[in-house]
Amino acid sequence: MIATTERRYSLEEYRAIAETSTEKCEYHDGEIITMTGGTATHSRISRNIVNFLDSNLEGTNFEAFNNDLRIWIPKYRCGVYPDAMVVDGQLQFHDGREDEILNPLLIVEVLSPSTQKYDRTDKFEMYRSIPSLSEYILVKQDRPFVERYRKQSNGWLFSDFVGLEDSILLDSINVELAMTKIYRNVIF
């Protein structure tokens, strides 16, 4: 991610820029952050997860989305693009816009060397302020390793999954995701 210069932008200015920009950019309370491109491995993992979720949620009240839909986080005045997410029921749009939602149930981030610290700390802190969020998944690219955080009444419960033989029960949507599905066509 690359931050803009010292200038602060209003949300309306950001939206106008984002609608015409050839680069994907996030909004962080006045700052516009240009998103860097991902690797083939990152793209494969993200695609595998979204495809798996989409096919396994058919006929349910859940809907999977890729990284083209922005989540608006009111407490932090941020608009961000997760690698994958699931919504339960109707989408709740921010300001009536169909490109910003407020109600993800499950969020997945594929970790990159440049973003993994941010995804685990500041971004997770922002995500935790979303009332509908109940599960957060972090996926490593360089080896079969997944971290899961599940919302509990007294905080977030951490679990990790290691190796291609493992699988993850995504409690929020009651779907079991095999590590082999996540890492299909990924060479370590």
Side-chain angles (χ1 to χ4, degrees), residues 114-165:
S114 62
T115 64
Q116 65 183 344
K117 181 180 177 190
Y118 168 65
D119 289 339
R120 283 190 176 106
T121 57
D122 294 342
K123 197 170 197 181
F124 185 32
E125 179 182 346
M126 289 188 291
Y127 282 158
R128 288 192 310 263
S129 73
I130 301 170
S132 61
L133 184 67
S134 67
E135 207 159 10
Y136 184 47
I137 307 296
L138 297 169
V139 181
K140 289 194 67 92
Q141 292 185 59
D142 59 345
R143 63 188 175 102
F145 185 86
V146 173
E147 300 170 36
R148 178 185 63 191
Y149 296 87
R150 288 185 303 152
K151 190 180 207 176
Q152 308 288 300
S153 59
N154 60 346
W156 289 81
L157 179 65
F158 169 79
S159 304
D160 61 8
F161 304 85
V162 182
L164 292 174
E165 305 77 27

Side-chain angles (χ1 to χ4, degrees), residues 102-122:
L102 298 164
N103 62 322
L105 173 70
L106 166 71
I107 296 175
V108 179
E109 294 287 1
V110 179
L111 299 174
S112 300
S114 62
T115 64
Q116 65 183 344
K117 181 180 177 190
Y118 168 65
D119 289 339
R120 283 190 176 106
T121 57
D122 294 342

Side-chain angles (χ1 to χ4, degrees), residues 24-44:
K24 188 178 287 187
C25 50
E26 294 185 343
Y27 183 77
H28 290 232
D29 195 22
E31 273 189 273
I32 296 176
I33 312 291
T34 303
M35 306 303 294
T36 58
T39 64
T41 298
H42 187 283
S43 293
R44 281 185 187 112

Side-chain angles (χ1 to χ4, degrees), residues 169-187:
L169 177 60
L170 301 172
D171 289 330
S172 60
I173 57 175
N174 197 30
V175 169
E176 190 166 342
L177 174 55
M179 297 282 272
T180 54
K181 298 289 188 188
I182 295 171
Y183 292 102
R184 186 175 67 83
N185 294 331
V186 173
I187 300 168

